[in-house]
Amino acid sequence: MRNAIFLGSVATSLLLAAVVAHADESREVEIHKVSADGVEEQIGSVTLEDSEYGLLLTPELSDLPLGPHGFHVHENPSCEPAEDDSGEMTAAKAAGGHFDPDETGSHAGPYGDGHLGDLPLLVVNEDGEATTPVLAPRLSVDDLDGRSLMIHEGGDNYADDPEPLGGGGSRVACGVVSS
């Protein structure tokens, strides 16, 4: 089993190295912690690069909770708080929902036919850092113009059952993508 995990890690590293070697355009997005009080300190950045395999997102983030986190492109270019349906101020609510230009209404993950805003999980190590690149094969840098990147508390199962939007938790960090 350990050999299979090791070989899988090696294969993933080789694929991502090939993607980076073929990257065309890049853009850096500053990522900030967010709360119901507003946009807070910067915790790093995510570099966006087009490649022949899709959009490569390379995080250089710190000060995040350990484990997997939901990672999405959201509709609006804002990380500001806004009121939710119950009237409570919610962190980064002004970013709107997941980017879904085809109005699929479906949360099907980065390789499915649902929201284009569904990205692969962002994994944070025991030091609170996220540095592992992820690949979004259905997106390009231009698709993210005027949008935001959102990091949610907890993981994402890319389904709307048993909980809506993959069961991800609150919005903990955000960055606005500008051209």
Side-chain angles (χ1 to χ4, degrees):
M1 181 69 167
R2 288 178 77 194
N3 287 341
I5 292 171
F6 174 75
L7 290 175
S9 296
V10 169
T12 300
S13 295
L14 290 173
L15 173 64
L16 289 173
V19 169
V20 170
H22 291 96
D24 299 324
E25 175 190 351
S26 71
R27 191 173 306 158
E28 190 170 305
V29 179
E30 290 183 4
I31 304 295
H32 296 260
K33 284 190 171 184
V34 293
S35 74
D37 294 326
V39 178
E40 299 176 355
E41 72 271 9
Q42 183 178 345
I43 59 169
S45 64
V46 175
T47 301
L48 309 175
E49 298 176 274
D50 282 330
S51 79
E52 65 182 284
Y53 303 102
L55 178 65
L56 181 68
L57 299 99
T58 305
E60 288 294 332
L61 302 170
S62 61
D63 201 24
L64 287 166
L66 172 68
H69 293 268
F71 190 32
H72 305 104
V73 177
H74 280 244
E75 191 67 35
N76 303 322
S78 177
C79 294
E80 295 295 328
E83 287 186 13
D84 65 11
D85 293 337
S86 69
E88 285 189 45
M89 291 302 285
T90 302
K93 184 74 173 167
H98 294 180
F99 178 50
D100 188 19
D102 296 331
E103 299 180 5
T104 66
S106 174
H107 189 68
Y111 308 102
D113 291 327
H115 302 157
L116 278 179
D118 290 346
L119 300 174
L121 287 174
L122 185 71
V123 178
V124 177
N125 67 23
E126 60 277 350
D127 295 324
E129 299 170 342
T131 59
T132 303
V134 298
L135 184 65
R138 301 183 302 144
L139 291 170
S140 70
V141 171
D142 288 343
D143 292 328
L144 275 63
D145 282 344
R147 310 269 176 239
S148 57
L149 289 177
M150 190 71 62
I151 300 168
H152 293 265
E153 180 178 44
D156 190 334
N157 68 8
Y158 304 116
D160 292 315
D161 186 34
E163 294 182 48
L165 299 175
S170 62
R171 300 167 184 205
V172 296
C174 179
V176 173
V177 182
S178 57
S179 48

